[in-house]
């Protein structure tokens, strides 16, 4: 994984393959049944069915408590359902398991920004970009929060 993260951060065209490889590795729990729960949870989330997503992803986190992708996906589902507290708790667990999980860091930044904690949100966006500099959402968030007050965008 370290070599993939190095390639992700390096200049050149290899970052797209490295990003895809990292995401593919992250999505594998080691169990076909648990991977299916992740896929079902993500599909439900994509369909806007947050309650179903939370149900699938809760089953996943119950059965695979050391699988960072499960916690990260459930955090996104909780956030989509407007449950910020549980989302933050799941992000903390995902980042404890995989500190370089840039989607979790970026979601954390967005939650902090929405809550008005601009300084910590900016720090999180920058941390996420330090892991993976190829994230439009994180780059936009960092740029938005880097504008001095009163300067406008």
């Amino acid at each position: 994984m370290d070599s993939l993260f190095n390639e992700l951060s390096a200049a050149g065209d290899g970052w797209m393959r490295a990003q895809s490889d990292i995401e593919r590795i992250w999505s594998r729990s080691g169990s076909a049944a648990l991977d299916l729960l992740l896929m079902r949870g993500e599909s439900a989330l994509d369909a806007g069915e947050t309650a179903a997503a939370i149900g699938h992803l809760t089953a996943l986190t119950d059965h695979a408590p050391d699988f960072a992708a499960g916690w990260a996906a459930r955090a996104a589902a909780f956030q989509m359902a407007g449950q910020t507290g549980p989302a933050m708790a799941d992000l903390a667990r995902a980042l404890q398991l995989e500190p370089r999980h840039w989607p979790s860091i970026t979601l954390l930044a967005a939650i902090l920004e929405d809550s008005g904690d601009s300084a910590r949100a900016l720090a999180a966006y920058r941390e996420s970009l330090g892991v993976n500099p190829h994230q439009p959402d994180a780059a936009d968030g960092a740029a938005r929060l880097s504008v001095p007050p009163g300067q406008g965008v």
Side-chain angles (χ1 to χ4, degrees):
M1 283 290 274
D2 288 340
S3 64
L4 288 172
F5 276 99
N6 289 336
E7 193 172 342
L8 181 64
S9 297
D13 297 333
W15 72 266
M16 288 184 278
R17 183 192 55 76
Q19 178 175 299
S20 178
D21 288 350
I22 291 166
E23 290 171 341
R24 188 174 18 265
I25 291 166
W26 279 345
S27 71
R28 294 186 182 138
S29 67
S31 162
L34 296 176
D35 292 350
L36 182 60
L37 280 174
L38 178 62
M39 288 180 2
R40 285 185 176 166
E42 289 175 337
S43 293
L45 194 56
D46 289 343
E49 299 168 358
T50 55
I54 291 168
H56 291 303
L57 297 167
T58 296
L60 175 59
T61 57
D62 287 349
H63 289 90
D66 294 330
F67 184 43
W71 294 100
R74 194 173 76 164
F78 276 136
Q79 184 59 22
M80 186 177 266
Q83 298 181 35
T84 303
M88 293 289 279
D90 282 4
L91 288 174
R93 180 68 178 141
L95 290 169
Q96 178 185 32
L97 293 167
E98 176 50 79
R100 300 176 291 190
H101 196 265
W102 69 81
S104 293
I105 303 169
T106 300
L107 179 56
L108 173 63
I111 292 170
L112 291 168
E113 183 178 4
D114 287 347
S115 72
D117 193 344
S118 298
R120 288 178 53 207
L122 178 57
Y125 282 129
R126 288 179 174 162
E127 180 179 340
S128 188
L129 289 167
V131 175
N132 179 357
H134 310 284
Q135 302 177 76
D137 290 343
D140 291 347
R144 184 174 49 253
L145 294 176
S146 295
V147 175
Q151 294 292 316
V153 183

